Amino acid sequence: MHTINVKISDYQVTKAPIKLKTTGLGSCVGVVVFEPSRHVAAMAHVMLPSSELSRDLTFNLAKYADTALPVMVTELIQSFGVQRQHLKAKIAGGAQMFQFTGKSEALRIGPRNIEAVKDTLKSLEIPVIAEDVGGQNGRTIEFDIEKCQLMIRTIHKGITAI
Amino acid sequence: MIAPENLTEYHKDILKEIGNIGAGNAATALSELVNKSVDMTLPTVKLVPFHEVVQIVGGEETVVAATFFRVAGDAPGNMFLIFTLREAITLLRQLTGDPNIDEESIFHSEIARSALQETGNILAGSYLSSFSDFTGLNLSPSVPFLTVDMAAAVLSYGLMEMSQVSDYAIIIDTQLRETEHSSIDSHFLLLPDPDSFQRIFKSLGVQVNE
């Protein structure tokens, strides 16, 4: 079946039976927002927590948690006419790929991404019903919209579903 | 600050020369380490959108053994020494003389992992010292951090600084290759921070038009 590949700093909106996939999440976070009864979903591959980090006046909204998720959710609602209060989210990623001893904020990018994604979803009033975040390993994720199932593949622990 | 999109061919040639000198020195260090002759390809300077960065090392889900360094000093940046698993195994067998080293060792054997990190350490040190000599800039690598995982998950970490100003990465890529069997084939990637380009060019007396 057809699968849409979501690139880094991008999001895609679609409906079943199409699947959504993103590969090689490290400190980035993959965010799936979906409407379980209508079988529609959106997936973002968020790279940085906050658009305040941007040093450019014009920037790619899909790169930052605080800007990507609102535009993605709006597009999902407008494309399929779904109700915001029926939306749910599943998230994965936000690893710390390298084990630093220092405490520099820049090195904590994974945990900061997770926090920003959760804060933004909270402000959008979308509950996170499942998550596989943190740790030290990369993840590839694929969302089956029909089953509302998020498959997570890692090279160390094989495939799990949430 | 120079936007990656505004980099001219002339600027790219200068960055290539840095890769050339740096990796040339690193190739010598590697060949002394494995006691075989090691060759390097001509460096390339790549200006690529983020999602294409991983194509350099063979695709998003290619499993790589990557040693990461944060470069501190006058022109900070990120540096990776990348081997595919097969290459890492070949290198480790040569370094340790132990033919039993396999994939499992790279994940779990302390000796194998520290040999790999130490290789990275030696190569990064020689790369940066010649970069330093060439430009007069003060540069030093952090301690090495080894991780074995999907290429995209590893490399995206090195894009964090650039991602705050652009959707493109400027990467100075040099491949090191063992001449005889071409069994060791690794990538040395240098990703200067956005503000470092200007300092590198300035150190060499090159005009920068913003």
Side-chain angles (χ1 to χ4, degrees):
Chain A
M1 198 49 71
H2 184 51
T3 302
I4 296 178
N5 219 329
V6 182
K7 292 172 183 165
I8 189 167
S9 295
D10 192 16
Y11 70 85
Q12 295 287 335
V13 175
T14 191
K15 60 178 180 179
I18 298 169
K19 290 179 180 174
L20 285 162
K21 181 182 181 182
T22 197
T23 41
L25 290 164
S27 55
C28 299
V29 178
V31 184
V32 182
V33 174
F34 59 104
E35 214 284 30
S37 59
R38 297 278 306 276
H39 301 303
V40 299
M43 181 187 280
H45 184 139
V46 166
M47 197 174 180
L48 293 167
S50 164
S51 55
E52 282 170 24
L53 291 167
S54 177
R55 294 163 60 186
D56 225 340
L57 286 177
T58 58
F59 58 86
N60 174 7
L61 292 174
K63 196 188 302 185
Y64 304 92
D66 67 332
T67 48
L69 303 182
V71 291
M72 179 176 90
V73 167
T74 304
E75 195 174 318
L76 183 65
I77 290 171
Q78 286 175 352
S79 306
F80 299 108
V82 292
Q83 303 281 318
R84 179 185 293 262
Q85 61 267 32
H86 295 157
L87 297 177
K88 311 224 175 301
K90 292 190 179 189
I91 64 175
Q96 263 188 299
M97 296 305 296
F98 297 94
Q99 293 310 300
F100 297 97
T101 42
K103 290 208 173 101
S104 152
E105 272 301 289
L107 304 177
R108 283 189 62 251
I109 196 75
R112 286 170 63 202
N113 277 336
I114 299 167
E115 208 174 302
V117 162
K118 287 184 175 174
D119 285 351
T120 310
L121 287 171
K122 197 173 179 187
S123 73
L124 293 167
E125 295 173 358
I126 299 170
V128 177
I129 59 166
E131 62 177 57
D132 177 30
V133 294
Q136 301 170 18
N137 51 275
R139 296 169 172 92
T140 284
I141 61 171
E142 187 174 291
F143 189 66
D144 184 324
I145 302 176
E146 216 132 1
K147 297 180 191 156
C148 299
Q149 195 175 50
L150 188 64
M151 305 295 289
I152 299 154
R153 197 178 78 80
T154 68
I155 66 158
H156 302 274
K157 291 183 259 172
I159 298 173
T160 51
I162 60 169
Chain B
M1 194 182 66
I2 303 171
E5 298 87 329
N6 298 341
L7 216 63
T8 65
E9 283 306 313
Y10 179 52
H11 290 134
K12 285 189 193 171
D13 281 342
I14 291 165
L15 297 176
K16 272 184 209 166
E17 191 51 26
I18 287 169
N20 208 4
I21 295 171
N25 227 9
T28 312
L30 183 59
S31 92
E32 278 165 13
L33 213 56
V34 296
N35 207 11
K36 296 217 162 85
S37 119
V38 173
D39 219 358
M40 61 168 208
T41 59
L42 279 180
T44 50
V45 172
K46 295 191 169 93
L47 172 63
V48 283
F50 289 161
H51 63 270
E52 283 174 22
V53 167
V54 287
Q55 299 310 330
I56 297 174
V57 293
E60 288 163 329
E61 292 189 275
T62 308
V63 178
V64 295
T67 308
F68 170 82
F69 303 86
R70 178 72 191 151
V71 179
D74 297 332
N78 297 321
M79 193 174 211
F80 290 97
L81 176 64
I82 294 187
F83 297 101
T84 62
L85 274 191
R86 198 177 50 83
E87 294 156 5
I89 292 166
T90 311
L91 173 71
L92 285 171
R93 285 181 181 167
Q94 292 188 7
L95 282 175
T96 60
D98 179 356
N100 298 319
I101 281 179
D102 56 12
E103 237 173 75
E104 204 49 28
S105 338
I106 295 179
F107 288 112
H108 301 296
S109 150
E110 270 309 310
I111 293 177
R113 292 176 71 90
S114 62
L116 217 46
Q117 291 196 82
E118 197 44 36
T119 307
N121 210 11
I122 292 168
L123 300 193
S126 47
Y127 189 111
L128 287 178
S129 72
S130 46
F131 182 1
S132 227
D133 290 344
F134 181 54
T135 55
L137 294 169
N138 184 20
L139 300 161
S140 58
S142 66
V143 292
F145 299 97
L146 173 72
T147 201
V148 184
D149 215 311
M150 302 169 187
V154 172
L155 282 177
S156 59
Y157 190 83
L159 304 175
M160 290 306 153
E161 282 77 15
M162 195 51 111
S163 68
Q164 294 167 26
V165 303
S166 174
D167 290 316
Y168 286 83
I170 304 170
I171 300 179
I172 307 171
D173 174 23
T174 321
Q175 276 175 274
L176 302 178
R177 198 174 282 154
E178 193 195 308
T179 341
E180 262 173 75
H181 311 291
S182 64
S183 54
I184 298 175
D185 182 356
S186 63
H187 284 269
F188 228 121
L189 307 179
L190 178 65
L191 297 93
D193 286 357
D195 293 323
S196 295
F197 290 98
Q198 201 154 5
R199 295 191 196 147
I200 293 169
F201 295 135
K202 211 174 156 196
S203 73
L204 295 166
V206 174
Q207 271 291 285
V208 178
N209 297 317
E210 289 195 53

